[in-house]
Amino acid sequence: MSGTSSGTARGMVPAKLDLTVRIGDLVMQNPVGVASGTFGYGEEYEDLVDIDCLGALYTKAVTPEPRPGNPAPRLADTPAGMLNSIGLANPGLDAFIADKLPRLRARRCAVIVNVAGGTEDDYLRVLDALEAQDGIVGYEINISCPNVAHGGLSFGTDPVQVERLTRRLVDAVGSRAMAGAEARCDRLAGRGRRPLIVKLSPNVTDIAAIAKAAEAGGAVALSCINTLVGMVIDIKTKRPVLAMGSGGLSGPAIRPVGVAMVYKASHAVSIPVIGLGGISDADDALQYLLAGAVAIQVGTAIFSRPEAPLEILAGIREFMEREGIEQVADIRKLLR
Amino acid sequence: MSGTSSGTARGMVPAKLDLTVRIGDLVMQNPVGVASGTFGYGEEYEDLVDIDCLGALYTKAVTPEPRPGNPAPRLADTPAGMLNSIGLANPGLDAFIADKLPRLRARRCAVIVNVAGGTEDDYLRVLDALEAQDGIVGYEINISCPNVAHGGLSFGTDPVQVERLTRRLVDAVGSRAMAGAEARCDRLAGRGRRPLIVKLSPNVTDIAAIAKAAEAGGAVALSCINTLVGMVIDIKTKRPVLAMGSGGLSGPAIRPVGVAMVYKASHAVSIPVIGLGGISDADDALQYLLAGAVAIQVGTAIFSRPEAPLEILAGIREFMEREGIEQVADIRKLLR
Amino acid sequence: MKRFDTTVTSIRPVAEGCFELRFDWPDDAGVPAPGRFFTIKAGGRYDPVLRRPFAFSGYAPPVAGERDGEAAFIFQVRGRGTEFLAALKPGDPLDVLGPLGRGFGKPPRGTRPMLVAGGIGMGPMLYLAAALGADAKAGLCEAPMLVIGVRSAGFIPDVELPAGTVICTDDGSSGFHGTVTEWLAGFDPGLPPVFYACGPAPMMAAVDRLAEVRSAPFEAALEQWMACGVGACAGCAVALKSGRYIKTCVDGPVYDGRLVDWGAAL
Amino acid sequence: MKRFDTTVTSIRPVAEGCFELRFDWPDDAGVPAPGRFFTIKAGGRYDPVLRRPFAFSGYAPPVAGERDGEAAFIFQVRGRGTEFLAALKPGDPLDVLGPLGRGFGKPPRGTRPMLVAGGIGMGPMLYLAAALGADAKAGLCEAPMLVIGVRSAGFIPDVELPAGTVICTDDGSSGFHGTVTEWLAGFDPGLPPVFYACGPAPMMAAVDRLAEVRSAPFEAALEQWMACGVGACAGCAVALKSGRYIKTCVDGPVYDGRLVDWGAAL
Ligand SMILES: Cc1cc2nc3c(=O)[nH]c(=O)nc-3n(C[C@H](O)[C@H](O)[C@H](O)COP(=O)(O)OP(=O)(O)OC[C@H]3O[C@@H](n4cnc5c(N)ncnc54)[C@H](O)[C@@H]3O)c2cc1C
Ligand SMILES: Cc1cc2nc3c(=O)[nH]c(=O)nc-3n(C[C@H](O)[C@H](O)[C@H](O)COP(=O)(O)OP(=O)(O)OC[C@H]3O[C@@H](n4cnc5c(N)ncnc54)[C@H](O)[C@@H]3O)c2cc1C
Ligand SMILES: Cc1cc2nc3c(=O)[nH]c(=O)nc-3n(C[C@H](O)[C@H](O)[C@H](O)COP(=O)(O)O)c2cc1C
Ligand SMILES: Cc1cc2nc3c(=O)[nH]c(=O)nc-3n(C[C@H](O)[C@H](O)[C@H](O)COP(=O)(O)O)c2cc1C
Ligand code: FES
Ligand code: FES
């Protein structure tokens, strides 16, 4: 808990500030991560962001097979936000392990792999294969994916499905010796389990019920929120701008929805919640931390301003100094 | 269906354009309404808006008893949007009838009363009393209200409740002779029923299921959408900005969510859908009409620009001229 | 009341982080009396959505064939709306809705108008001081007394202050070292006072107590987040001691300060 | 590649609804070669969120001790991002990320570079024409030929056009009456052509057919909505005839036009 354990070798953190975040057996050097799908596999942003200073890097979703993604156009501009329908475009499990993981292993930040699929077995296949690899410190399960067996309704909208999927996946994650990048992110023990983080969809009536289902299934933490369903129609062409019709709304526009859901979810469960959705500056991040999140992720804001994540980290640190808070996890206790 | 029937005496509408909208037995002179809660009872905006030129005026919610509303502050600013927690503040049924209705009766636009309550009986009491009054052409049922009997979960999140509430209310609406303002909005017949419009909450997993439930209950039309749940936390005071904690998110930020939900709802039911949520210009309105709405409402945009509703009407008219569309209901057929 | 597109005529810094902005006021819009306010669309197309309310700090009526009417306000840069305003230049367009709300009442004969301003409450009190000063010259009321409270000397507005204005600074860097209410507590206005005030809630609460002790009327200029500005949305509610709510935009912004629940979340 | 805050040096209208904007280009950012692009944060704090991509229309390298490097682009006002840009004045700040993407390749010896520009595709082709013109003078390639297609005379950019530039107008108000591809169909370049083009999809599709008929290479500058601009989001996908997708921002924007599925939703 002392300041020195968190400081890393870079000496950026004043003696008394402890920015580390604990998620199960995992320790992140600070609470600021970059959100799945907005930061690729890191290498794309190497010129623009000092990736080693991030708390965590959540990869683009990995599926068993390569996926080309959805038809184009895949993006639309909205008031203070954007829509995407990338559609889990990714090189697939094997290519991920062969081409992306080696570079990710060398990162000093926590590398968390976002896992997706169309069936429960898809998720399991990815998890099983990744369990055999080192250099990964946790899994984020994207349950917003359409469930093929349920007519395409997303896994994440039904508590029963969420609990079952979570349980199956949790059972697949074993205790292991930590090595390389993993060991750097794990300063508590030489052994541990990679935390399974379930990423909640906001397109539900009762986020608390889904959060509890994931907790009951054994999730170590939750991420909250994924994108809202949205549509933009081009009145000149008289077609939806996205080839797929609708897509996922992200960016500052959804921040109030994310903060409300993190507040609700984090007060419904006792596992840690990682907050995201529209965070573009330190004040936004602090709203999430006050609402009950133990860490945050920055997504769309990176497109506007690649420096955003590290500026947010600096802003959180300033806030802690100003408020005399030593441990980042204590920020939520300030909420009145 | 001919242009002349729609033109009203004001002569604003070119011979061939038919802007009228039919909702059950009700005919609105044009598709542009002002949303409940954002236009009071009309009189507040008299200096700024030519109310008689609107298609419809949806009143602030009316409840059986007067309600003072929620503690202050009730508003917060968000990226491209706002939060409100007004809390159904209204003078109550009796004062509405005594003080507000007389002035509303004299309006040339369709006056639709937004009805709210904490129990099914609350809604019924309002409806019964208003059935005895003339000068009203329809009811909009706000099912986003917390249901006292269900621990405060909103009526609008459960299909079973929605269908039952709708059926009880539909049964209470009788056929009647049209008089005064009502007759002006009803050019089809001297008798008719006031349409019951169910206003859907977007805070649900499956808006299509709720839409179908309202249709099954006998709703004549749907309004879609009400506000999204959101929260803003003031990091200086470390409190939610709204005294109530969370509130309803409205404005341009939510427009993509509204368009997606109107698309989904209008393709799930065969009754007309009135679209709203973040409409601030004619292009936004046309997105909703292309998505499947037969009419639209302007809410938050009125705060930014009181002229917005009538500018939007002018823009819809221009679009119809440009595209050679005679009947506003045909706009949705253009969607490709 | 009118929504209109007008033009910035001048903008200048008047104190640390504060500007005075002047703009053309159309003749047919109505009278921008002291205590009344207007709202500005301060930003881009979609953001921010809510118009920003400001009180008039002055108004120069049109002179036929010579110049248009001109309204002024003083604002402090706080967030993205006021940042947008601070970047305006003379000639830039301005989207204004006003005049709105109720202004200050006239002081009864034989009373001393005590005008208390704190922070961004400066603008309306300066305007009221000028108006009552003119009234006093015309023998319509007693001479008003303006008391300004700021954090330190840098926040004293660089505008023409009425003779006899009292400056109070929290840090003693200028004038009286202390709060306006501390100064007021030790001051004998000679005549029964009438309090007029605009400022942060704690200051208003203190003036309220003072007014109670002296059994004096208290006209308070309220502030609350606003959406419509015209009484339609019930968003700008302020709680009264009675538990009732008023709408700041139409029942106020100037309201009987003795009735307001200053302890509530203002 | 770098994100940097720079300064507008000049802005001027160059055609109906089109402007040329110049800004300081820092020495350490990388080379803004023809066909490459950059993105601008064009608006307020929250809106719009997505940076707007533009192709370089020119670049003047720094002269040591005399002046900084200067980049230029030509843009058409289409929505709120470009409205924001059109309102900029010299000295205003500009938030730029670049240079991004792949630029044009050099034409093989003994081929005629045929540069085809339509609408807002003007900028990159003008820059390429200038660069290849200089190469040709230095004997590195054959003289390029620039063919510009616009709706009518008012859209011809008021910039220095290379000698021999062909103008085609849809309405015949200037130059050739017809589309660029109609003109090209009737033209014999003397040497085997290499096509370079930037413009609306139908024009690009026509150039593709022409290139196929003439068995000529076709370097196409693509356009697609972008989010990251650096290959991280897969948002800027463009479909190839093979059914595969490429990322416009890193695989392009200049890509083999013969491989692109111009019929898809571009
Ligand atoms: C009737 C009235 C008259 C006013 N007159 C003046 C004036 O003459 N000069 C002046 O500088 N300011 C005045 N204000 C306050 C002014 O409206 C706000 O400072 C301004 O809207 C802030 O906008 P922003 O976008 O810059 O800040 P934001 O980023 O929106 O807010 C910054 C901070 O200011 C506070 N704030 C913002 N708006 C309000 C508000 N309406 N009421 C209370 N707190 C608010 C918020 O708590 C927030 O923390 C007045 C407000 C009202 C209601
Ligand atoms: C690599 C690249 C280079 C470009 N170079 C230039 C250039 O040199 N000059 C120039 O004027 N424009 C160029 N564009 C297009 C330019 O980015 C858009 O016109 C601009 O982003 C529009 O922004 P806006 O906010 O003004 O319009 P918006 O309101 O966002 O959009 C207006 C219309 O423009 C279309 N549009 C907007 N952005 C794009 C885009 N990225 N791709 C395709 N269509 C779009 C939309 O369909 C919309 O209907 C380029 C685009 C790319 C991808
Ligand atoms: C272009 C794009 C691609 C995304 N891809 C994924 C993904 O593969 N897996 C996932 O769980 N979330 C994905 N997301 C969702 C984000 O991780 C994040 O939950 C969402 O965008 C809200 O955060 P933001 O507003 O900060 O962007 C994607 C978002 C964007 C904008
Ligand atoms: C201040 C305010 C008060 C509202 N009050 C009501 C209400 O009483 N009843 C209701 O059904 N909807 C109410 N709404 C919701 C609006 O009618 C509308 O559904 C919502 O704001 C989305 O539309 P918009 O983005 O155009 O504002 C209110 C909205 C606002 C902003
Ligand atoms: S701001 Fe709408 S009622 Fe006062
Ligand atoms: S814009 Fe993100 S990959 Fe091209």
Side-chain angles (χ1 to χ4, degrees):
Chain A
M1 293 278 166
S2 85
T4 43
S5 74
S6 70
T8 78
R10 313 181 74 84
M12 301 176 310
V13 184
K16 294 288 278 298
L17 286 191
D18 180 4
L19 286 153
T20 55
V21 173
R22 283 160 186 72
I23 310 264
D25 291 338
L26 161 69
V27 182
M28 293 176 182
Q29 63 185 353
N30 69 60
V32 179
V34 287
S36 175
T38 63
F39 207 73
Y41 304 96
E43 56 199 52
E44 300 87 346
Y45 270 107
E46 251 162 23
D47 287 4
L48 299 168
V49 180
D50 187 348
I51 298 172
D52 286 341
C53 293
L54 294 171
L57 186 164
Y58 300 78
T59 69
K60 173 70 190 166
V62 175
T63 56
E65 309 296 338
R67 297 219 190 184
N70 288 332
R74 297 177 178 178
L75 300 173
D77 196 65
T78 75
M82 60 172 283
L83 289 186
N84 87 79
S85 74
I86 310 298
L88 304 180
N90 83 99
L93 181 56
D94 294 342
F96 171 75
I97 292 172
D99 304 337
K100 305 296 177 186
L101 195 51
R103 201 116 159 221
L104 285 170
R105 270 191 198 108
R107 305 284 178 207
R108 296 190 66 87
C109 64
V111 171
I112 295 172
V113 179
N114 186 276
V115 179
T119 63
E120 290 188 7
D121 287 341
D122 280 352
Y123 288 91
L124 262 181
R125 270 180 63 197
V126 176
L127 225 62
D128 279 340
L130 294 180
E131 277 290 286
Q133 300 293 329
D134 61 13
I136 297 164
V137 305
Y139 307 110
E140 183 181 54
I141 310 303
N142 176 0
I143 57 170
S144 296
C145 308
N147 182 343
V148 174
H150 278 68
L153 259 183
S154 134
F155 284 96
T157 56
D158 174 13
V160 177
Q161 279 192 67
V162 169
E163 183 173 340
R164 201 182 57 196
L165 175 64
T166 305
R167 179 160 297 124
R168 281 192 71 187
L169 297 180
V170 165
D171 288 346
V173 182
S175 178
R176 55 191 300 116
M178 300 290 187
E182 289 172 80
R184 275 199 296 281
C185 294
D186 176 63
R187 294 182 205 87
L188 289 179
R191 280 190 80 77
R193 255 173 227 274
R194 293 175 180 167
L196 193 107
I197 305 166
V198 174
K199 182 164 177 184
L200 305 183
S201 160
N203 304 294
V204 297
T205 304
D206 185 6
I207 193 97
I210 309 286
K212 283 181 192 155
E215 182 179 41
V220 172
L222 306 173
S223 298
C224 182
I225 58 176
N226 213 312
T227 54
L228 287 161
V229 176
M231 182 186 269
V232 173
I233 296 176
D234 184 330
I235 68 152
K236 286 195 206 78
T237 63
K238 283 138 203 114
R239 280 203 273 233
V241 170
L242 300 179
M244 292 297 286
S246 61
L249 181 64
S250 64
I254 70 165
R255 192 241 294 148
V257 176
V259 171
M261 289 200 163
V262 163
Y263 180 85
K264 229 175 141 186
S266 65
H267 288 79
V269 297
S270 53
I271 52 178
V273 175
I274 300 159
L276 76 159
I279 295 177
S280 63
D281 59 25
D283 284 13
D284 295 346
L286 288 161
Q287 287 196 45
Y288 275 93
L289 296 173
L290 285 164
V294 300
I296 59 102
Q297 299 176 30
V298 185
T300 300
I302 299 169
F303 302 150
S304 295
R305 193 171 168 82
E307 303 95 313
L310 293 177
E311 287 173 354
I312 288 168
L313 176 57
I316 292 173
R317 198 178 272 130
E318 272 167 36
F319 175 87
M320 289 171 67
E321 279 165 2
R322 202 163 62 229
E323 302 282 339
I325 307 249
E326 289 185 18
Q327 164 58 43
V328 72
D330 291 339
I331 292 178
R332 66 180 294 187
K333 297 184 192 151
L334 296 177
L335 188 73
R336 298 197 295 153
Chain B
M1 297 278 166
S2 85
T4 43
S5 75
S6 71
T8 78
R10 315 181 73 85
M12 304 176 308
V13 183
K16 293 289 279 299
L17 286 193
D18 181 4
L19 285 153
T20 56
V21 173
R22 283 160 186 73
I23 310 263
D25 292 339
L26 161 68
V27 182
M28 292 176 184
Q29 63 186 354
N30 69 59
V32 179
V34 287
S36 176
T38 63
F39 208 73
Y41 305 95
E43 55 198 54
E44 300 87 346
Y45 270 107
E46 252 161 22
D47 287 3
L48 298 169
V49 181
D50 187 348
I51 297 171
D52 285 342
C53 294
L54 294 171
L57 185 163
Y58 300 78
T59 69
K60 174 70 190 166
V62 175
T63 55
E65 310 295 339
R67 296 219 191 183
N70 287 333
R74 297 177 177 178
L75 300 173
D77 196 64
T78 75
M82 60 173 282
L83 289 186
N84 86 80
S85 73
I86 310 299
L88 304 180
N90 83 99
L93 182 55
D94 294 343
F96 171 76
I97 292 172
D99 304 336
K100 304 296 178 185
L101 195 51
R103 202 118 158 222
L104 285 169
R105 270 192 197 108
R107 305 283 178 208
R108 295 191 66 87
C109 65
V111 172
I112 295 174
V113 179
N114 185 275
V115 180
T119 63
E120 291 189 6
D121 287 342
D122 279 353
Y123 288 92
L124 261 181
R125 269 178 66 196
V126 175
L127 224 63
D128 279 342
L130 295 181
E131 278 289 286
Q133 299 293 328
D134 61 14
I136 297 164
V137 305
Y139 307 110
E140 183 180 53
I141 310 302
N142 177 0
I143 58 170
S144 296
C145 309
N147 182 343
V148 174
H150 278 67
L153 259 183
S154 134
F155 283 96
T157 55
D158 174 13
V160 177
Q161 279 193 67
V162 168
E163 183 172 341
R164 200 182 59 196
L165 174 64
T166 305
R167 179 161 296 126
R168 280 191 72 185
L169 297 180
V170 165
D171 288 346
V173 181
S175 177
R176 55 193 300 115
M178 300 292 186
E182 288 172 81
R184 276 198 297 279
C185 294
D186 175 62
R187 294 179 205 86
L188 290 179
R191 280 191 79 78
R193 255 174 227 273
R194 293 175 179 166
L196 193 105
I197 304 165
V198 173
K199 182 165 178 183
L200 306 182
S201 161
N203 305 294
V204 297
T205 303
D206 185 5
I207 193 99
I210 309 285
K212 283 180 191 157
E215 182 178 41
V220 172
L222 306 173
S223 300
C224 181
I225 58 176
N226 213 312
T227 53
L228 287 161
V229 176
M231 182 186 269
V232 173
I233 296 176
D234 184 330
I235 67 151
K236 286 195 207 79
T237 63
K238 283 135 203 118
R239 281 203 271 231
V241 171
L242 301 179
M244 293 296 287
S246 61
L249 180 64
S250 65
I254 70 166
R255 191 241 294 147
V257 176
V259 171
M261 289 201 162
V262 163
Y263 180 86
K264 227 174 144 187
S266 66
H267 287 81
V269 298
S270 53
I271 53 177
V273 174
I274 301 159
L276 75 158
I279 295 177
S280 64
D281 58 28
D283 284 12
D284 295 345
L286 287 162
Q287 286 197 45
Y288 275 93
L289 295 172
L290 286 163
V294 302
I296 58 101
Q297 299 176 29
V298 185
T300 300
I302 298 169
F303 302 151
S304 295
R305 192 171 168 83
E307 304 96 315
L310 292 177
E311 287 173 355
I312 287 168
L313 176 57
I316 292 173
R317 199 179 271 129
E318 272 166 38
F319 176 86
M320 290 171 67
E321 280 166 2
R322 203 164 60 230
E323 301 282 338
I325 306 250
E326 289 185 16
Q327 164 60 42
V328 72
D330 291 339
I331 292 178
R332 67 180 292 188
K333 296 183 192 150
L334 296 178
L335 187 72
R336 295 197 297 152
Chain C
M1 178 203 322
K2 209 177 125 132
R3 206 225 37 94
F4 53 93
D5 296 303
T6 183
T7 308
V8 174
T9 50
S10 79
I11 178 162
R12 67 183 185 94
V14 289
E16 265 179 51
C18 291
F19 293 82
E20 184 203 60
L21 197 152
R22 294 172 176 272
F23 57 97
D24 277 332
W25 185 265
D27 214 12
D28 61 347
V31 180
R36 301 192 74 189
F37 72 105
F38 59 95
T39 62
I40 298 184
K41 175 96 176 93
R45 180 148 151 213
Y46 294 123
D47 186 72
V49 159
L50 293 179
R51 302 176 71 88
R52 301 314 202 218
F54 298 95
F56 298 99
S57 67
Y59 170 65
V63 178
E66 244 178 73
R67 61 142 205 254
D68 292 332
E70 192 186 56
F73 65 108
I74 293 175
F75 68 93
Q76 190 189 20
V77 176
R78 302 181 72 176
R80 60 200 202 284
T82 45
E83 274 160 23
F84 171 91
L85 293 179
L88 291 175
K89 298 182 182 79
D92 281 344
L94 203 66
D95 172 344
V96 173
L97 169 60
L100 301 171
R102 291 169 195 271
F104 293 106
K106 295 288 183 193
R109 290 282 180 131
T111 60
R112 170 78 62 212
M114 299 295 304
L115 280 49
V116 188
I120 57 168
M122 203 77 67
M125 301 320 293
L126 286 170
Y127 187 13
L128 180 65
L132 293 185
D135 282 1
K137 265 206 189 111
L140 300 169
C141 69
E142 303 302 321
M145 174 138 205
L146 177 61
V147 188
I148 293 179
V150 288
R151 237 183 303 152
S152 66
F155 295 94
I156 303 169
D158 172 24
V159 296
E160 214 184 306
L161 296 174
T165 297
V166 176
I167 305 280
C168 308
T169 54
D170 293 348
D171 65 359
S173 52
S174 178
F176 176 77
H177 186 170
T179 65
V180 285
T181 39
E182 281 162 5
W183 184 86
L184 284 168
F187 175 75
D188 176 7
L191 296 165
V194 179
F195 291 99
Y196 295 87
C198 187
M203 181 194 101
M204 301 299 267
V207 175
D208 182 19
R209 282 189 298 270
L210 209 65
E212 196 185 347
V213 170
R214 305 223 177 153
S215 307
F218 171 22
E219 297 215 8
L222 305 176
E223 278 194 20
Q224 181 56 285
W225 284 95
M226 289 184 180
C228 70
V230 300
C233 74
C236 59
V238 161
L240 300 185
K241 287 169 184 152
S242 69
R244 277 207 320 121
Y245 291 102
I246 55 160
K247 294 176 184 170
T248 302
C249 68
V250 286
D251 300 322
V254 178
Y255 200 79
D256 185 340
R258 305 283 300 275
L259 301 181
V260 173
D261 180 0
W262 298 106
L266 191 75
Chain D
M1 178 202 321
K2 208 177 126 136
R3 206 225 39 91
F4 54 93
D5 296 304
T6 183
T7 309
V8 174
T9 50
S10 80
I11 178 164
R12 66 182 186 98
V14 288
E16 266 180 49
C18 291
F19 294 82
E20 183 202 61
L21 197 151
R22 295 172 176 272
F23 58 97
D24 278 330
W25 186 266
D27 213 13
D28 60 348
V31 179
R36 302 192 74 190
F37 72 105
F38 59 95
T39 62
I40 299 185
K41 174 99 177 91
R45 179 150 151 211
Y46 294 122
D47 186 70
V49 159
L50 293 180
R51 302 177 71 89
R52 301 315 203 217
F54 298 94
F56 298 99
S57 67
Y59 170 66
V63 178
E66 245 178 71
R67 61 143 204 253
D68 291 331
E70 191 186 57
F73 65 108
I74 294 176
F75 68 94
Q76 190 189 21
V77 177
R78 302 182 73 176
R80 60 200 202 284
T82 45
E83 274 159 23
F84 172 91
L85 292 180
L88 291 176
K89 299 182 183 77
D92 280 344
L94 203 65
D95 172 344
V96 173
L97 170 60
L100 301 170
R102 291 169 195 271
F104 294 105
K106 295 286 183 195
R109 289 279 180 135
T111 59
R112 170 78 63 213
M114 298 294 303
L115 280 50
V116 189
I120 56 168
M122 204 77 66
M125 300 320 292
L126 286 169
Y127 186 13
L128 180 65
L132 292 186
D135 281 1
K137 265 205 190 111
L140 300 169
C141 68
E142 302 302 319
M145 174 139 205
L146 179 61
V147 189
I148 292 179
V150 289
R151 236 181 306 152
S152 66
F155 295 94
I156 303 169
D158 172 24
V159 296
E160 214 184 306
L161 296 174
T165 298
V166 176
I167 305 280
C168 306
T169 55
D170 293 348
D171 64 358
S173 52
S174 179
F176 176 77
H177 187 169
T179 64
V180 284
T181 38
E182 282 161 6
W183 184 86
L184 283 168
F187 175 72
D188 176 7
L191 296 165
V194 179
F195 290 99
Y196 295 87
C198 187
M203 181 195 101
M204 301 297 269
V207 174
D208 183 19
R209 283 189 297 271
L210 209 65
E212 195 184 347
V213 171
R214 306 223 177 154
S215 308
F218 171 22
E219 297 216 9
L222 306 175
E223 279 194 19
Q224 181 56 283
W225 284 95
M226 289 183 181
C228 70
V230 299
C233 73
C236 59
V238 160
L240 300 185
K241 286 168 184 153
S242 67
R244 277 207 319 121
Y245 292 102
I246 55 161
K247 293 175 183 170
T248 303
C249 67
V250 287
D251 300 321
V254 178
Y255 199 78
D256 185 340
R258 304 284 300 276
L259 302 181
V260 174
D261 180 1
W262 297 106
L266 192 73

